[in-house]
Amino acid sequence: MSNSQQLLKVIDSHTEGEPTRVVISGGPDLGSGSLHERRQRFKDTSDEFRRTVILEPRGSDALVGALLCEPVDKSCVAGVIFFNNAGYLGMCGHGTIGVAVTLAYLGKIGLGTHRLETPVGVVEVQLIDANQVAIENVPSYRTLHRVNVEVDGLGTVVGDVAWGGNWFFLAEHSPYPLTLGNVRALTDAAEKVRAALRNNGITGTDGGEIDHVEFFGAGQAADADSRNYVYCPGGAYDRSPCGTGTSAKLACLAASGKLQPGEQWVQESIIGSRFTGSYRLDAEGHIIPRVVGRAFICGESVLIQQPADPFRHGIVGEVSA
Ligand code: PYC
């Protein structure tokens, strides 16, 4: 066997069905600087690494990768940069729960509260038991209320724009019933909504693209407040209720006076898994979402890249014979 093959150690988990792959060794050296700067360096110099970890044949469109880094803020147990099949995320709620459970599995953290640094700020994680984690997300807020967007094939779609660590459009009504059988139709609809937002110049307040779309409906379980479908930037749907998406939802509920600080909101996903959300207000009056969910370790492996493998950096197109 060639000894120039590259080895990457990863631990896989899923958070309420949504997968996270934490890179334990073999990742790129991103040097120093803020997590925001290191995420840019990752993008500029090591995008092949992202593709190797996430894309088929080693990964899948639903997978979110987490690269552990030295934190700048020494009160944090680790820094983390999240990435997926399309690029890099500011924050990832299900991924943070997956990272916490992975760090516990590795014996690096115990029960209790810990801090993690992300490119968009510090988040707190509380390891409640080996699988259950509460995250306190970055401040979340609604920036637009009841925007009307003309969407190809769907007519006028009404929704809010909110930040929950990523930019979300939260449509008031789902174009289709929120069942797993409708995922293809929901994904097509979400892509059209995203395109309409882009074509109409509707962005986040920082000019960032609104690249996550949520549709909401009634919860199916008796104690669920709502069910969602969440479209992620690379075209995959979130199997979990989406941590940053639930944070964006909490921001909208708070802004409309429909949820008070400390009240619970049970958000069901399209596969019936759930997060329990609530929020507190910080000194500036921003909402700080708390999202509770479970993650389970489901793999510990070594990814191998052999030099002759045409797909060692993932399948990005056809290869010639
Ligand atoms: O849980 O925040 C989240 C998330 C974002 C994209 C996929 N999951």
Side-chain angles (χ1 to χ4, degrees):
M1 197 188 292
S2 159
N3 54 16
S4 60
Q5 64 188 9
Q6 290 188 33
L7 307 180
L8 279 174
K9 267 188 87 173
V10 299
I11 296 192
D12 289 341
S13 61
H14 74 83
T15 304
E16 305 296 350
E18 180 75 350
T20 306
R21 175 165 283 173
V22 179
V23 179
I24 300 305
S25 66
D29 177 3
L30 301 176
S32 57
S34 70
L35 267 275
H36 187 75
E37 287 161 343
R38 279 183 271 170
R39 180 178 62 168
Q40 190 57 44
R41 206 168 296 136
F42 190 171
K43 191 171 177 177
D44 294 342
T45 66
S46 303
D47 198 54
E48 265 181 3
F49 177 83
R50 175 186 66 79
R51 298 197 300 265
T52 302
V53 173
I54 298 293
L55 301 188
E56 291 180 11
R58 293 168 190 78
S60 78
D61 281 355
L63 187 59
V64 168
L67 181 67
L68 299 178
C69 314
E70 199 52 43
V72 177
D73 179 339
K74 296 299 177 207
S75 70
C76 294
V77 64
V80 58
I81 300 174
F82 292 108
F83 49 99
N84 66 9
N85 59 340
Y88 301 83
L89 293 162
M91 223 312 265
C92 179
H94 92 267
T96 302
I97 294 173
V99 167
V101 164
T102 300
L103 291 174
Y105 174 77
L106 291 170
K108 291 189 186 298
I109 62 170
L111 300 186
T113 302
H114 309 275
R115 286 157 64 84
L116 284 172
E117 193 169 329
T118 78
V120 294
V122 171
V123 296
E124 264 189 20
V125 296
Q126 183 195 357
L127 188 67
I128 298 168
D129 60 34
N131 301 106
Q132 201 179 18
V133 176
I135 62 168
E136 263 214 349
N137 197 2
V138 294
S140 300
Y141 43 89
R142 181 169 77 184
T143 56
L144 293 172
H145 184 39
R146 303 207 78 238
V147 195
N148 288 335
V149 197
E150 287 311 312
V151 182
D152 191 24
L154 298 178
T156 307
V157 175
V158 183
D160 290 355
V161 173
W163 172 257
N166 294 298
W167 284 110
F168 287 84
F169 181 81
L170 301 93
E172 255 176 30
H173 302 290
S174 177
Y176 305 101
L178 293 171
T179 62
L180 208 44
N182 282 335
V183 153
R184 190 177 290 266
L186 289 161
T187 303
D188 287 348
E191 279 183 339
K192 287 180 181 163
V193 171
R194 178 184 182 181
L197 291 164
R198 196 192 298 126
N199 295 339
N200 285 287
I202 301 169
T203 66
T205 41
D206 58 359
E209 187 190 354
I210 300 162
D211 53 6
H212 292 73
V213 176
E214 293 193 71
F215 297 129
F216 292 92
Q220 280 188 10
D223 62 341
D225 292 291
S226 157
R227 172 173 277 232
N228 70 7
Y229 159 92
V230 185
Y231 167 87
C232 300
Y237 70 94
D238 199 326
R239 278 67 173 160
S240 82
C242 191
T244 51
T246 299
S247 300
K249 177 69 176 175
L250 294 171
C252 294
L253 290 165
S256 295
K258 292 183 177 161
L259 193 75
Q260 301 308 312
E263 265 186 77
Q264 292 201 338
W265 180 264
V266 176
Q267 185 64 62
E268 204 176 61
S269 76
I270 189 82
I271 65 165
S273 59
R274 53 171 62 201
F275 284 156
T276 302
S278 59
Y279 73 92
R280 67 176 172 85
L281 294 174
D282 70 7
E284 283 83 47
H286 290 131
I287 85 145
I288 307 291
R290 176 181 161 92
V291 176
V292 184
R294 295 163 312 159
F296 297 88
I297 302 293
C298 50
E300 183 169 356
S301 43
V302 178
L303 306 184
I304 299 174
Q305 292 169 271
Q306 296 194 315
D309 178 356
F311 301 117
R312 65 190 177 283
H313 299 310
I315 301 174
V316 286
E318 290 180 23
V319 283
S320 41

